[in-house]
Amino acid sequence: MELDKLRFGTELLKRGFAKMQKGGVIMDVTTSEQAIIAEEAGAVAVMALQAVPADIRKMGGVARMADPKIIQEIIDSVTVPVMAKVRIGHFVEAQILEAIGVDMIDESEVLTPVDEFHVIKSKFTVPFVCGARSLGEALRRIKEGAAMIRTKGEAGTGDVSEAVRHMNLIMGQIRTLEGMNEAELMMTARDIQADYALVCECAEMQRLPVVNFAAGGIATPADAAMMMQMKADGVFVGSGIFKSENPSVMARAIVDAVNNYDDPTKLFEISKGLGDPMKGIDIGTIPEEEKLQARGW
Amino acid sequence: MIGFQGAVSEHVSAMERALAGRGSVVEVRRSGVVPDCDGLVLPGGESTTISRHLDRTGTGEEIKHAAGSGVPIMATCAGLVIISSEVERETRFEPLGLLDVKVKRNAFGSQRESFEADLDVAGFQSPYHAVFIRAPAITDRSDTVEVLAEVDGLAVAVREENLIGLAFHPELTTDLRFHDIFLDLVREG
């Protein structure tokens, strides 16, 4: 077996990587100390950031890719995969993250977008995850090369209601495809501005063709278990861990909740005495123009 | 099928195809199920995460007991790390110590270095197309461990009595030859 006969960065490898994350919790971290806490709690991967979304919201200004030095330190401190975020459309930030050696790139609405077009992700060796609010949005990202989808929810709020809404919408739209004939599927593809072949794949499989996680506002074990019962393949927890009173306890509880998502008795044990979750912001009080989920199309 | 985390549904459907109705697959996410199984599969996922779940639920001990009494086990990728005896530069979790090998995690690099390759496998008539995702590799082994395939001088498929360890993902392709070896072991048992 010679190394020059190997094939890198294929669709199978990218989507396969995402499959290895299934049933897991991916946690936002800003330092190597936090990364170790997350790994110790059982996180399946960590997302390296300069600031968690709740703080990004508070700080205002332009949010960009994290300092590569922080990302490098986090990579060196854990064995689980390390992901990092780029601004929507910022293909050079993505090139830099690929050069650092991150395992997956999140083209994220949490950061300030630089282009109305998203990164053409199929050109990269490293896989991408992208946020979506609807089936059309999810399939547009997959067509661009995303190997994993997550709901957008509303990051940094600790209010899971938008993640619930996006998951309901995506799953509901997939259900309506069942039993449609070719002409109807074609019409749907046109209506939701998505690739026809991908729409057919969803109709056939009755799920997205890539791994689909829940994200945006998950703050408690119950939130995480609810998203799993709604057929998420796993969850991202952003501010919910390190903005809670006791991060390591909350982190472990959310991991255990994802594993026992369909067992209310276990969830009761897991949810007991965790201290205060992040305080959060009610979605209803956020003006439309300040919602992060509206970034991207 | 140890089903705490990772490519569980892919492994279940690959195994169901290999079984073709001659047996059933159950997902294990709590203690008490492993003792009733005729064969065990540890799928790929994140080894640190899966091993946390094995510890917390007591399933790890059950797997050790089953392996000791001769139950066939197929462990892929993270599963291979978990059943090994030693993990290079690892202090934060104990592998189960079933397969007498030393493994190196992410032996080929990060996800950027993940690859597909056609492997020559001992006993196979034609190459086996294998998918390596942040794959481990075997850097040392006892003489009782038989090497079935190598990449760049590192063992990536091995067998020791009732145990099969694979550094790649047989659940992500349609070639079921490793599943067939495993199921033969189960039937012999």
Side-chain angles (χ1 to χ4, degrees):
Chain A
M1 165 75 358
E2 289 130 47
L3 288 174
D4 57 0
K5 293 210 181 118
L6 310 183
R7 290 166 62 213
F8 298 94
T10 63
E11 207 55 56
L12 181 60
L13 290 167
K14 291 177 179 178
R15 292 185 181 188
F17 169 79
K19 285 176 179 172
M20 297 311 140
Q21 308 298 305
K22 290 197 313 176
V25 181
I26 301 170
M27 301 182 191
D28 280 4
V29 298
T30 57
T31 62
S32 51
E33 290 76 25
Q34 290 185 354
I36 290 166
I37 292 171
E39 183 179 64
E40 199 60 44
V44 79
V46 294
M47 178 75 69
L49 283 164
Q50 196 105 28
V52 293
D55 290 331
I56 292 176
R57 246 177 210 291
K58 236 182 276 167
M59 290 183 304
V62 178
R64 309 180 177 89
M65 173 185 81
D67 182 343
K69 184 169 169 282
I70 296 178
I71 299 171
Q72 186 70 62
E73 284 169 5
I74 290 171
I75 289 175
D76 293 340
S77 65
V78 291
T79 62
V80 293
V82 175
M83 306 183 178
K85 290 184 193 291
V86 297
R87 287 178 266 179
I88 290 173
H90 208 315
F91 54 86
V92 174
E93 283 187 347
Q95 290 166 3
I96 292 169
L97 290 186
E98 181 166 273
I100 298 173
V102 302
D103 295 296
M104 183 172 245
I105 296 173
D106 183 2
E107 187 181 24
S108 177
E109 69 282 3
V110 168
L111 306 183
T112 314
V114 298
D115 197 336
E116 61 185 307
F117 299 110
H118 287 246
V119 173
I120 299 303
K121 294 161 275 286
S122 49
K123 288 185 179 169
F124 287 78
T125 304
V126 65
F128 279 72
V129 54
C130 288
R133 288 164 296 175
S134 65
L135 181 60
E137 193 172 11
L139 296 183
R140 286 192 290 278
R141 298 294 85 77
I142 294 169
K143 186 68 182 167
E144 292 157 359
M148 180 176 182
I149 293 294
R150 56 171 175 76
T151 58
K152 282 182 165 174
E154 187 58 31
T157 60
D159 183 341
V160 77
S161 62
E162 290 296 282
V164 168
R165 196 163 69 81
H166 298 157
M167 191 59 85
N168 274 333
L169 184 58
I170 292 172
M171 296 303 188
Q173 284 179 298
I174 293 174
R175 274 194 303 275
T176 63
L177 301 177
E178 197 168 20
M180 279 191 185
N181 64 24
E182 281 173 26
E184 289 161 342
L185 288 170
M186 213 170 275
M187 196 75 90
T188 305
R190 186 198 64 181
D191 291 345
I192 66 171
Q193 300 177 62
D195 181 76
Y196 170 66
L198 288 174
V199 170
C200 292
E201 222 177 314
C202 292
E204 166 82 33
M205 296 165 64
Q206 280 298 299
R207 59 157 296 143
L208 287 179
V210 301
V211 166
N212 181 24
F213 268 46
I218 295 164
T220 66
D223 289 351
M226 178 169 178
M227 297 314 300
M228 293 301 287
Q229 287 196 28
M230 292 175 71
K231 302 268 185 277
D233 291 315
V235 301
F236 283 88
V237 187
S239 319
I241 299 203
F242 291 98
K243 285 285 162 191
S244 70
E245 189 183 345
N246 194 339
S248 62
V249 171
M250 185 60 82
R252 181 176 162 163
I254 292 178
V255 169
D256 288 342
V258 166
N259 188 42
N260 295 288
Y261 69 90
D262 51 0
D263 185 340
T265 316
K266 286 255 176 61
L267 291 172
F268 150 62
E269 288 297 330
I270 291 165
S271 305
K272 270 198 298 198
L274 302 175
D276 290 334
M278 72 180 282
K279 180 158 178 282
I281 317 165
D282 176 348
I283 294 286
T285 65
I286 303 173
E288 238 10 82
E289 66 276 12
E290 284 178 24
K291 285 188 180 164
L292 301 175
Q293 59 177 278
R295 294 166 165 183
W297 64 290
Chain B
M1 191 70 55
I2 305 303
F4 292 106
Q5 191 274 318
V8 180
S9 63
E10 289 75 10
H11 249 301
V12 169
S13 58
M15 189 57 77
E16 282 172 346
R17 269 183 282 132
L19 278 166
R22 293 167 298 168
S24 60
V25 187
V26 290
E27 278 183 38
V28 178
R29 285 196 286 130
R30 57 181 176 82
S31 62
V33 186
V34 166
D36 292 332
C37 297
D38 301 318
L40 297 169
V41 177
L42 278 88
E46 288 309 320
S47 51
T48 313
T49 311
I50 297 171
S51 104
R52 295 271 181 280
H53 286 304
L54 294 179
D55 276 357
R56 286 174 198 174
T57 57
T59 319
E61 282 305 314
E62 293 179 342
I63 295 171
K64 273 190 198 173
H65 189 262
S69 61
V71 171
I73 297 182
M74 178 164 75
T76 67
C77 196
L80 167 64
V81 175
I82 289 166
I83 69 164
S84 70
S85 332
E86 195 184 339
V87 184
E88 278 188 24
R89 288 197 302 265
E90 177 55 64
T91 50
R92 279 175 287 177
F93 93 90
E94 283 266 311
L96 295 179
L98 309 177
L99 183 66
D100 207 355
V101 295
K102 183 172 169 181
V103 301
K104 185 179 179 195
R105 278 168 157 177
N106 306 339
F108 304 96
S110 67
Q111 172 59 19
R112 195 179 52 192
E113 283 79 37
S114 291
F115 60 92
E116 294 180 42
D118 289 324
L119 289 184
D120 292 322
V121 180
F124 287 6
Q125 301 301 316
S126 57
Y128 178 91
H129 189 73
V131 181
F132 293 80
I133 296 174
R134 297 176 88 245
I138 292 162
T139 53
D140 202 4
R141 63 189 165 89
S142 85
D143 295 339
T144 53
V145 177
E146 180 192 357
V147 175
L148 303 175
E150 289 186 342
V151 170
D152 201 27
L154 295 169
V156 293
V158 297
R159 182 174 161 193
E160 183 181 30
E161 294 174 359
N162 54 327
L163 309 173
I164 300 170
L166 308 173
F168 47 87
H169 293 280
E171 78 282 11
L172 295 183
T173 52
T174 51
D175 191 335
L176 297 170
R177 283 180 283 178
F178 282 104
H179 287 80
D180 292 339
I181 296 179
F182 170 71
L183 288 177
D184 283 344
L185 286 175
V186 173
R187 291 188 190 110
E188 283 165 23

PDB file of all heavy atoms in Angstrom, chain A residues 127-156:
ATOM      1  N   PRO A 127     -14.174  19.093   5.793  1.00  0.00           N
ATOM      2  CA  PRO A 127     -15.638  19.183   5.688  1.00  0.00           C
ATOM      3  C   PRO A 127     -16.215  20.427   6.366  1.00  0.00           C
ATOM      4  O   PRO A 127     -15.572  20.996   7.245  1.00  0.00           O
ATOM      5  CB  PRO A 127     -16.126  17.920   6.412  1.00  0.00           C
ATOM      6  CG  PRO A 127     -15.029  17.527   7.333  1.00  0.00           C
ATOM      7  CD  PRO A 127     -13.746  18.046   6.750  1.00  0.00           C
ATOM      8  N   PHE A 128     -17.400  20.821   5.950  1.00  0.00           N
ATOM      9  CA  PHE A 128     -18.082  21.994   6.508  1.00  0.00           C
ATOM     10  C   PHE A 128     -19.421  21.592   7.122  1.00  0.00           C
ATOM     11  O   PHE A 128     -20.094  20.689   6.637  1.00  0.00           O
ATOM     12  CB  PHE A 128     -18.412  23.008   5.408  1.00  0.00           C
ATOM     13  CG  PHE A 128     -17.284  23.894   4.994  1.00  0.00           C
ATOM     14  CD1 PHE A 128     -16.219  23.398   4.261  1.00  0.00           C
ATOM     15  CD2 PHE A 128     -17.300  25.248   5.302  1.00  0.00           C
ATOM     16  CE1 PHE A 128     -15.186  24.219   3.847  1.00  0.00           C
ATOM     17  CE2 PHE A 128     -16.274  26.097   4.890  1.00  0.00           C
ATOM     18  CZ  PHE A 128     -15.208  25.582   4.169  1.00  0.00           C
ATOM     19  N   VAL A 129     -19.812  22.354   8.154  1.00  0.00           N
ATOM     20  CA  VAL A 129     -21.174  22.303   8.670  1.00  0.00           C
ATOM     21  C   VAL A 129     -21.766  23.696   8.456  1.00  0.00           C
ATOM     22  O   VAL A 129     -21.052  24.691   8.550  1.00  0.00           O
ATOM     23  CB  VAL A 129     -21.209  21.891  10.173  1.00  0.00           C
ATOM     24  CG1 VAL A 129     -20.329  22.770  11.044  1.00  0.00           C
ATOM     25  CG2 VAL A 129     -22.645  21.875  10.699  1.00  0.00           C
ATOM     26  N   CYS A 130     -23.071  23.747   8.130  1.00  0.00           N
ATOM     27  CA  CYS A 130     -23.735  25.035   7.938  1.00  0.00           C
ATOM     28  C   CYS A 130     -25.088  25.035   8.630  1.00  0.00           C
ATOM     29  O   CYS A 130     -25.724  23.995   8.755  1.00  0.00           O
ATOM     30  CB  CYS A 130     -23.964  25.307   6.450  1.00  0.00           C
ATOM     31  SG  CYS A 130     -22.471  25.697   5.547  1.00  0.00           S
ATOM     32  N   GLY A 131     -25.537  26.219   8.994  1.00  0.00           N
ATOM     33  CA  GLY A 131     -26.840  26.362   9.619  1.00  0.00           C
ATOM     34  C   GLY A 131     -27.949  26.441   8.578  1.00  0.00           C
ATOM     35  O   GLY A 131     -27.707  26.848   7.441  1.00  0.00           O
ATOM     36  N   ALA A 132     -29.168  26.031   8.975  1.00  0.00           N
ATOM     37  CA  ALA A 132     -30.314  26.145   8.078  1.00  0.00           C
ATOM     38  C   ALA A 132     -31.582  26.326   8.899  1.00  0.00           C
ATOM     39  O   ALA A 132     -31.688  25.851  10.018  1.00  0.00           O
ATOM     40  CB  ALA A 132     -30.424  24.902   7.204  1.00  0.00           C
ATOM     41  N   ARG A 133     -32.542  27.045   8.295  1.00  0.00           N
ATOM     42  CA  ARG A 133     -33.847  27.243   8.949  1.00  0.00           C
ATOM     43  C   ARG A 133     -34.939  26.469   8.246  1.00  0.00           C
ATOM     44  O   ARG A 133     -36.046  26.363   8.735  1.00  0.00           O
ATOM     45  CB  ARG A 133     -34.240  28.726   8.919  1.00  0.00           C
ATOM     46  CG  ARG A 133     -33.453  29.614   9.836  1.00  0.00           C
ATOM     47  CD  ARG A 133     -33.646  31.059   9.442  1.00  0.00           C
ATOM     48  NE  ARG A 133     -33.106  31.285   8.098  1.00  0.00           N
ATOM     49  CZ  ARG A 133     -33.204  32.419   7.440  1.00  0.00           C
ATOM     50  NH1 ARG A 133     -33.848  33.440   7.960  1.00  0.00           N
ATOM     51  NH2 ARG A 133     -32.676  32.549   6.241  1.00  0.00           N
ATOM     52  N   SER A 134     -34.651  26.004   7.025  1.00  0.00           N
ATOM     53  CA  SER A 134     -35.680  25.330   6.236  1.00  0.00           C
ATOM     54  C   SER A 134     -35.010  24.286   5.353  1.00  0.00           C
ATOM     55  O   SER A 134     -33.779  24.277   5.218  1.00  0.00           O
ATOM     56  CB  SER A 134     -36.396  26.348   5.355  1.00  0.00           C
ATOM     57  OG  SER A 134     -35.463  26.870   4.417  1.00  0.00           O
ATOM     58  N   LEU A 135     -35.821  23.443   4.735  1.00  0.00           N
ATOM     59  CA  LEU A 135     -35.271  22.403   3.866  1.00  0.00           C
ATOM     60  C   LEU A 135     -34.526  23.013   2.681  1.00  0.00           C
ATOM     61  O   LEU A 135     -33.431  22.565   2.327  1.00  0.00           O
ATOM     62  CB  LEU A 135     -36.404  21.484   3.373  1.00  0.00           C
ATOM     63  CG  LEU A 135     -35.966  20.331   2.467  1.00  0.00           C
ATOM     64  CD1 LEU A 135     -34.990  19.400   3.167  1.00  0.00           C
ATOM     65  CD2 LEU A 135     -37.178  19.552   1.960  1.00  0.00           C
ATOM     66  N   GLY A 136     -35.103  24.044   2.086  1.00  0.00           N
ATOM     67  CA  GLY A 136     -34.459  24.674   0.938  1.00  0.00           C
ATOM     68  C   GLY A 136     -33.071  25.180   1.291  1.00  0.00           C
ATOM     69  O   GLY A 136     -32.095  24.951   0.573  1.00  0.00           O
ATOM     70  N   GLU A 137     -32.976  25.856   2.435  1.00  0.00           N
ATOM     71  CA  GLU A 137     -31.693  26.404   2.876  1.00  0.00           C
ATOM     72  C   GLU A 137     -30.691  25.271   3.126  1.00  0.00           C
ATOM     73  O   GLU A 137     -29.525  25.352   2.720  1.00  0.00           O
ATOM     74  CB  GLU A 137     -31.901  27.243   4.146  1.00  0.00           C
ATOM     75  CG  GLU A 137     -30.706  28.104   4.503  1.00  0.00           C
ATOM     76  CD  GLU A 137     -30.988  29.081   5.653  1.00  0.00           C
ATOM     77  OE1 GLU A 137     -32.040  28.961   6.319  1.00  0.00           O
ATOM     78  OE2 GLU A 137     -30.133  29.957   5.890  1.00  0.00           O
ATOM     79  N   ALA A 138     -31.155  24.209   3.771  1.00  0.00           N
ATOM     80  CA  ALA A 138     -30.271  23.064   4.051  1.00  0.00           C
ATOM     81  C   ALA A 138     -29.738  22.466   2.752  1.00  0.00           C
ATOM     82  O   ALA A 138     -28.541  22.202   2.609  1.00  0.00           O
ATOM     83  CB  ALA A 138     -31.025  22.003   4.860  1.00  0.00           C
ATOM     84  N   LEU A 139     -30.622  22.295   1.769  1.00  0.00           N
ATOM     85  CA  LEU A 139     -30.204  21.662   0.511  1.00  0.00           C
ATOM     86  C   LEU A 139     -29.309  22.577  -0.324  1.00  0.00           C
ATOM     87  O   LEU A 139     -28.441  22.102  -1.052  1.00  0.00           O
ATOM     88  CB  LEU A 139     -31.422  21.197  -0.291  1.00  0.00           C
ATOM     89  CG  LEU A 139     -32.261  20.097   0.396  1.00  0.00           C
ATOM     90  CD1 LEU A 139     -33.400  19.650  -0.518  1.00  0.00           C
ATOM     91  CD2 LEU A 139     -31.417  18.898   0.809  1.00  0.00           C
ATOM     92  N   ARG A 140     -29.501  23.891  -0.192  1.00  0.00           N
ATOM     93  CA  ARG A 140     -28.587  24.813  -0.899  1.00  0.00           C
ATOM     94  C   ARG A 140     -27.173  24.677  -0.334  1.00  0.00           C
ATOM     95  O   ARG A 140     -26.195  24.632  -1.066  1.00  0.00           O
ATOM     96  CB  ARG A 140     -29.085  26.265  -0.791  1.00  0.00           C
ATOM     97  CG  ARG A 140     -30.295  26.551  -1.663  1.00  0.00           C
ATOM     98  CD  ARG A 140     -30.595  28.041  -1.771  1.00  0.00           C
ATOM     99  NE  ARG A 140     -31.101  28.637  -0.540  1.00  0.00           N
ATOM    100  CZ  ARG A 140     -32.383  28.591  -0.132  1.00  0.00           C
ATOM    101  NH1 ARG A 140     -33.282  27.940  -0.854  1.00  0.00           N
ATOM    102  NH2 ARG A 140     -32.750  29.172   0.987  1.00  0.00           N
ATOM    103  N   ARG A 141     -27.095  24.575   0.973  1.00  0.00           N
ATOM    104  CA  ARG A 141     -25.774  24.413   1.599  1.00  0.00           C
ATOM    105  C   ARG A 141     -25.151  23.067   1.209  1.00  0.00           C
ATOM    106  O   ARG A 141     -23.955  22.975   0.959  1.00  0.00           O
ATOM    107  CB  ARG A 141     -25.871  24.501   3.129  1.00  0.00           C
ATOM    108  CG  ARG A 141     -26.363  25.820   3.704  1.00  0.00           C
ATOM    109  CD  ARG A 141     -25.412  26.985   3.461  1.00  0.00           C
ATOM    110  NE  ARG A 141     -25.600  27.621   2.159  1.00  0.00           N
ATOM    111  CZ  ARG A 141     -26.600  28.470   1.883  1.00  0.00           C
ATOM    112  NH1 ARG A 141     -27.485  28.806   2.791  1.00  0.00           N
ATOM    113  NH2 ARG A 141     -26.692  28.998   0.670  1.00  0.00           N
ATOM    114  N   ILE A 142     -25.966  22.020   1.171  1.00  0.00           N
ATOM    115  CA  ILE A 142     -25.431  20.694   0.817  1.00  0.00           C
ATOM    116  C   ILE A 142     -24.927  20.717  -0.625  1.00  0.00           C
ATOM    117  O   ILE A 142     -23.869  20.176  -0.942  1.00  0.00           O
ATOM    118  CB  ILE A 142     -26.498  19.602   1.038  1.00  0.00           C
ATOM    119  CG1 ILE A 142     -26.815  19.479   2.533  1.00  0.00           C
ATOM    120  CG2 ILE A 142     -26.034  18.252   0.489  1.00  0.00           C
ATOM    121  CD1 ILE A 142     -28.039  18.631   2.858  1.00  0.00           C
ATOM    122  N   LYS A 143     -25.672  21.412  -1.496  1.00  0.00           N
ATOM    123  CA  LYS A 143     -25.263  21.526  -2.901  1.00  0.00           C
ATOM    124  C   LYS A 143     -23.911  22.238  -3.014  1.00  0.00           C
ATOM    125  O   LYS A 143     -23.092  21.914  -3.873  1.00  0.00           O
ATOM    126  CB  LYS A 143     -26.343  22.290  -3.691  1.00  0.00           C
ATOM    127  CG  LYS A 143     -26.109  22.340  -5.181  1.00  0.00           C
ATOM    128  CD  LYS A 143     -26.255  20.979  -5.820  1.00  0.00           C
ATOM    129  CE  LYS A 143     -25.957  21.035  -7.310  1.00  0.00           C
ATOM    130  NZ  LYS A 143     -25.799  19.685  -7.882  1.00  0.00           N
ATOM    131  N   GLU A 144     -23.678  23.203  -2.111  1.00  0.00           N
ATOM    132  CA  GLU A 144     -22.382  23.906  -2.104  1.00  0.00           C
ATOM    133  C   GLU A 144     -21.270  23.045  -1.517  1.00  0.00           C
ATOM    134  O   GLU A 144     -20.096  23.415  -1.575  1.00  0.00           O
ATOM    135  CB  GLU A 144     -22.483  25.197  -1.274  1.00  0.00           C
ATOM    136  CG  GLU A 144     -23.364  26.272  -1.878  1.00  0.00           C
ATOM    137  CD  GLU A 144     -23.888  27.260  -0.839  1.00  0.00           C
ATOM    138  OE1 GLU A 144     -23.590  27.109   0.370  1.00  0.00           O
ATOM    139  OE2 GLU A 144     -24.615  28.186  -1.230  1.00  0.00           O
ATOM    140  N   GLY A 145     -21.657  21.924  -0.915  1.00  0.00           N
ATOM    141  CA  GLY A 145     -20.643  21.000  -0.403  1.00  0.00           C
ATOM    142  C   GLY A 145     -20.660  20.772   1.099  1.00  0.00           C
ATOM    143  O   GLY A 145     -19.768  20.106   1.618  1.00  0.00           O
ATOM    144  N   ALA A 146     -21.662  21.307   1.823  1.00  0.00           N
ATOM    145  CA  ALA A 146     -21.708  21.073   3.275  1.00  0.00           C
ATOM    146  C   ALA A 146     -21.887  19.581   3.545  1.00  0.00           C
ATOM    147  O   ALA A 146     -22.689  18.915   2.893  1.00  0.00           O
ATOM    148  CB  ALA A 146     -22.852  21.862   3.910  1.00  0.00           C
ATOM    149  N   ALA A 147     -21.130  19.058   4.511  1.00  0.00           N
ATOM    150  CA  ALA A 147     -21.181  17.632   4.851  1.00  0.00           C
ATOM    151  C   ALA A 147     -22.066  17.384   6.062  1.00  0.00           C
ATOM    152  O   ALA A 147     -22.276  16.245   6.465  1.00  0.00           O
ATOM    153  CB  ALA A 147     -19.777  17.120   5.133  1.00  0.00           C
ATOM    154  N   MET A 148     -22.552  18.472   6.643  1.00  0.00           N
ATOM    155  CA  MET A 148     -23.358  18.379   7.856  1.00  0.00           C
ATOM    156  C   MET A 148     -24.212  19.641   7.938  1.00  0.00           C
ATOM    157  O   MET A 148     -23.770  20.715   7.515  1.00  0.00           O
ATOM    158  CB  MET A 148     -22.415  18.300   9.063  1.00  0.00           C
ATOM    159  CG  MET A 148     -23.047  18.190  10.421  1.00  0.00           C
ATOM    160  SD  MET A 148     -21.671  17.988  11.619  1.00  0.00           S
ATOM    161  CE  MET A 148     -22.557  17.806  13.146  1.00  0.00           C
ATOM    162  N   ILE A 149     -25.426  19.477   8.447  1.00  0.00           N
ATOM    163  CA  ILE A 149     -26.328  20.614   8.631  1.00  0.00           C
ATOM    164  C   ILE A 149     -26.667  20.717  10.112  1.00  0.00           C
ATOM    165  O   ILE A 149     -26.683  19.722  10.822  1.00  0.00           O
ATOM    166  CB  ILE A 149     -27.618  20.422   7.791  1.00  0.00           C
ATOM    167  CG1 ILE A 149     -27.298  20.477   6.287  1.00  0.00           C
ATOM    168  CG2 ILE A 149     -28.711  21.431   8.144  1.00  0.00           C
ATOM    169  CD1 ILE A 149     -26.802  21.824   5.767  1.00  0.00           C
ATOM    170  N   ARG A 150     -26.883  21.933  10.569  1.00  0.00           N
ATOM    171  CA  ARG A 150     -27.416  22.144  11.918  1.00  0.00           C
ATOM    172  C   ARG A 150     -28.520  23.169  11.803  1.00  0.00           C
ATOM    173  O   ARG A 150     -28.498  24.013  10.884  1.00  0.00           O
ATOM    174  CB  ARG A 150     -26.312  22.630  12.879  1.00  0.00           C
ATOM    175  CG  ARG A 150     -25.639  23.885  12.393  1.00  0.00           C
ATOM    176  CD  ARG A 150     -24.700  24.503  13.400  1.00  0.00           C
ATOM    177  NE  ARG A 150     -24.019  25.632  12.780  1.00  0.00           N
ATOM    178  CZ  ARG A 150     -24.561  26.820  12.548  1.00  0.00           C
ATOM    179  NH1 ARG A 150     -25.821  27.055  12.902  1.00  0.00           N
ATOM    180  NH2 ARG A 150     -23.889  27.781  11.957  1.00  0.00           N
ATOM    181  N   THR A 151     -29.487  23.121  12.704  1.00  0.00           N
ATOM    182  CA  THR A 151     -30.490  24.174  12.705  1.00  0.00           C
ATOM    183  C   THR A 151     -29.768  25.462  13.090  1.00  0.00           C
ATOM    184  O   THR A 151     -28.753  25.427  13.785  1.00  0.00           O
ATOM    185  CB  THR A 151     -31.598  23.918  13.751  1.00  0.00           C
ATOM    186  OG1 THR A 151     -30.995  23.811  15.045  1.00  0.00           O
ATOM    187  CG2 THR A 151     -32.369  22.647  13.442  1.00  0.00           C
ATOM    188  N   LYS A 152     -30.298  26.589  12.650  1.00  0.00           N
ATOM    189  CA  LYS A 152     -29.691  27.848  13.076  1.00  0.00           C
ATOM    190  C   LYS A 152     -30.140  28.179  14.499  1.00  0.00           C
ATOM    191  O   LYS A 152     -29.340  28.605  15.323  1.00  0.00           O
ATOM    192  CB  LYS A 152     -30.088  28.976  12.126  1.00  0.00           C
ATOM    193  CG  LYS A 152     -29.310  28.962  10.810  1.00  0.00           C
ATOM    194  CD  LYS A 152     -29.734  30.136   9.944  1.00  0.00           C
ATOM    195  CE  LYS A 152     -28.744  30.372   8.808  1.00  0.00           C
ATOM    196  NZ  LYS A 152     -29.250  31.424   7.892  1.00  0.00           N
ATOM    197  N   GLY A 153     -31.445  27.941  14.763  1.00  0.00           N
ATOM    198  CA  GLY A 153     -31.958  28.392  16.053  1.00  0.00           C
ATOM    199  C   GLY A 153     -31.657  29.873  16.195  1.00  0.00           C
ATOM    200  O   GLY A 153     -31.512  30.586  15.192  1.00  0.00           O
ATOM    201  N   GLU A 154     -31.528  30.347  17.430  1.00  0.00           N
ATOM    202  CA  GLU A 154     -31.066  31.725  17.618  1.00  0.00           C
ATOM    203  C   GLU A 154     -29.948  31.671  18.647  1.00  0.00           C
ATOM    204  O   GLU A 154     -30.201  31.549  19.854  1.00  0.00           O
ATOM    205  CB  GLU A 154     -32.222  32.643  18.035  1.00  0.00           C
ATOM    206  CG  GLU A 154     -31.859  34.121  18.081  1.00  0.00           C
ATOM    207  CD  GLU A 154     -31.342  34.710  16.755  1.00  0.00           C
ATOM    208  OE1 GLU A 154     -31.750  34.251  15.667  1.00  0.00           O
ATOM    209  OE2 GLU A 154     -30.495  35.626  16.804  1.00  0.00           O
ATOM    210  N   ALA A 155     -28.711  31.712  18.143  1.00  0.00           N
ATOM    211  CA  ALA A 155     -27.531  31.495  18.974  1.00  0.00           C
ATOM    212  C   ALA A 155     -27.380  32.545  20.062  1.00  0.00           C
ATOM    213  O   ALA A 155     -27.755  33.704  19.877  1.00  0.00           O
ATOM    214  CB  ALA A 155     -26.287  31.474  18.095  1.00  0.00           C
ATOM    215  N   GLY A 156     -26.850  32.116  21.192  1.00  0.00           N
ATOM    216  CA  GLY A 156     -26.510  33.051  22.261  1.00  0.00           C
ATOM    217  C   GLY A 156     -27.693  33.525  23.076  1.00  0.00           C
ATOM    218  O   GLY A 156     -27.579  34.467  23.853  1.00  0.00           O
TER     219      GLY A 156
END
